[in-house]
């Protein structure tokens, strides 16, 4: 089992493209896109984010990466609606979405634990 | 005269109406210093609430109405204002849990809890050019009115008036939260859209209370 | 005239989604996606990047944003192939792709000059 | 005996062949500490070069061949190795501009210019677990051989042998550049794919020189 990842973006294309990109280096990690509004427009969807967190959690926890501030607000709100047990297994990464997402995916693929994967997201740099 | 579930549902209807009326204005404000969707977002949200209003149980109390607004805005708005106003209504519901009738203290508590919810969620401070700059003076005015023994209607009137001033006060500011923060000094001279919708919602609350009083 | 932007990503979806997202706050800026390999796979394309820089340059210059390191290598190589005049009007932003891209788009929309737009990309933060 | 355009085109053909043969191994190496496409990338690139080889002018000199490799790899590889090897061949072409025949000094200059091009592009240092860790010893060995009066073939043999040692030397390292740098200590025990393809290309250069010598 591994830590799962959720990519929250204002754009469904960005979230889906990031799943494709991170997948290259993380074949076995559950990567879930939560991009766009319910009708596929630009924005974020509470329901998509909540469902994605649920889907990504196999019991080892979930790291959530976001693009702009309102994506973070949506993700934090989704966390508030989780029961305490599930919420304890979720981390919002303080990291840029794409760069942090790839770094977190690699960390999850190589067996990183919840806090390790969240920390890896934050160390994403442009040298890689 | 306390305010009950009818006031709460009236407030929702009046909110939906005033947001729909001001949709274009909110869009225009958000186009100046944001992404131009605030009017659409809020209208989508309150239209969805309106559609669910008839589904409320017959014995619903005001907290049930506030909670319905909260969850619906959170699910449907699609922008920062969704989680922000959603959390506001959720905390407001929590502040009057179990109460069928809301007295002045409850009304003031609703506003305070709503504001605190927005701060909890968005971490904005006074002067950051956000909706908080409308909520802060509204909460203070409501508390002051309540301390002076004002009625529920008077408390809401005081809040709405203060929110209007607060919304106007955002115009000269530089934004430090939300999308407008990208703009730096270019945000100066533009009113924050979320502060504007805050004043519309609080004005609707007062109007609904006036209707309740006059019935 | 405004500074144009090029979004270089390993994924065409990410680059295109970012154009959609940044467009919301930058109606008048030339935003060009350069994502994926020539055959649409995951990777970067020198030809797409070179063509995108050309397309984005209206004379006021171009800021290029990249996702991972190999996108930066591709973009830098594309710069090497420009004539000196054109190259002097291009900046590679040291910034996360999505977050920096939106910040740069806003800066370009509000009339920022080349160095101003590149600097705006670098100040992207998650509060917005 | 100097090396001419025929050696250069032979080197391209031998490179394409050896990369195709080792495609799966390069993919496997890159799957361990990267995204698993290095074999595909290099094979795509050299197949494209091969397809263009017949289009070379009859009076093409080695620099023309190197330049063709450079621009084709840059346009077709699609991964970090494209701009890196592309810049290498481009700088190598620049180092022997105008020369129809390459003597030992030219051969050593090609290798040095190629290595410098990769460093210019990728900013890797020795020990960063990149292709540079194969190129650095190759360049040193070539220079040393040339200083000792070695033939072109001997220089390239020395370079290939040193590159092989260099590629092996990446195994115990932690990566500080490229995708493998995401892996931290997990990269230990795996050979860098780009260092491996470097050794294949330099081995092909020596093999082509041996064929030229034996004709
Ligand atoms: N962190 C925050 N704290 C308080 N209010 C905020 C914050 N971020 C944004 N806002 C408010 O949200 C409004 C914008 O809402 P909206 O346009 O619906 O969302 P978005 O910016 O995601 O498009 C702003 O005018 C501002 O009042
Ligand atoms: N900055 C760099 N400097 C030198 N070599 C590098 C650098 N980054 C990557 N490499 C080399 O590129 C190889 C990977 O190439 P490839 O798999 O084709 O590209 P990608 O990593 O984009 O998928 C690595 O094995 C390494 O040798
Ligand atoms: Mg908006
Ligand atoms: Mg929006
Ligand atoms: Mg690779
Ligand atoms: Mg690759």
């Amino acid at each position: 089992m591994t830590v799962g990842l959720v990519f929250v973006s204002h754009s469904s294309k960005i979230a889906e493209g990031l799943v494709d990109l991170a997948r290259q280096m993380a074949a076995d990690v559950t990567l879930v896109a939560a991009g766009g509004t319910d009708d596929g427009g630009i924005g974020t969807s509470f329901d998509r984010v909540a469902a994605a967190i649920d889907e990504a959690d196999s019991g080892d926890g979930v790291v959530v990466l976001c693009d702009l501030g309102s994506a973070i607000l949506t993700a934090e709100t989704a966390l508030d609606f989780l029961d305490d047990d599930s919420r304890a297994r979720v981390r919002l990464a303080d990291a840029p979405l794409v760069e942090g997402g790839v770094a977190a995916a690699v960390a999850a693929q190589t067996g990183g634990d919840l806090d390790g994967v969240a920390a890896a997201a934050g160390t994403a740099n442009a040298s890689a | 005269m306390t305010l009950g579930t009818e006031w709460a549902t009236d407030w929702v209807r009046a909110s939906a109406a005033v947001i729909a009326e001001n949709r274009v204005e909110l869009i225009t404000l958000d186009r100046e210093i944001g992404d131009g969707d605030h009017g659409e977002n809020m209208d989508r949200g309150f239209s969805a609430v309106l559609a669910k209003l008839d589904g409320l149980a017959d014995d619903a109390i005001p907290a049930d109405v506030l909670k319905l607004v909260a969850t619906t805005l959170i699910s449907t708005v699609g922008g920062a204002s969704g989680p922000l106003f959603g959390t506001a209504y959720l905390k407001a519901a929590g502040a009057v849990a179990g109460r069928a009738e809301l007295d002045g203290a409850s009304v003031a508590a609703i506003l305070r809890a709503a504001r605190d919810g927005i701060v909890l969620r968005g971490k904005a401070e006074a002067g950051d050019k956000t909706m908080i700059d409308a909520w802060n003076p509204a909460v203070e005015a409501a508390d002051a009115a309540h301390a002076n023994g004002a009625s529920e209607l008077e408390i809401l009137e005081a809040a709405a008036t203060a929110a209007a001033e607060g919304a106007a006060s955002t115009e000269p500011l530089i934004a430090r939260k939300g999308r407008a923060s990208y703009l730096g000094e270019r945000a100066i001279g533009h009113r924050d859209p979320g502060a504007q919708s805050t004043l519309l919602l609080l004005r609707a609350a007062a109007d609904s209370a006036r209707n309740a009083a006059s019935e």
Side-chain angles (χ1 to χ4, degrees), chain B residues 122-199:
Chain B
K123 319 236 158 32
E125 292 177 14
D128 282 356
K129 197 181 183 104
T130 70
M131 55 173 71
I132 281 302
D133 293 323
W135 280 97
N136 273 345
V139 170
E140 279 160 35
D143 282 351
H146 175 54
N148 288 334
S151 70
E152 292 77 29
L153 168 58
E154 286 162 347
I155 292 170
L156 288 171
E157 287 284 4
T161 304
E165 281 162 26
S169 82
T170 63
E171 293 180 12
L173 298 176
I174 291 178
R176 280 188 295 257
K177 287 283 175 188
R179 285 173 182 271
S181 64
Y182 285 120
L183 287 162
E185 303 201 336
R186 305 249 168 190
I188 292 175
H190 300 283
R191 181 177 296 210
D192 177 64
Q196 182 68 9
S197 52
T198 298
L199 98 77

Side-chain angles (χ1 to χ4, degrees), chain A residues 100-118:
Chain A
V102 172
V106 174
Q109 174 69 28
T110 55
D113 67 8
L114 185 54
D115 289 319
V117 173

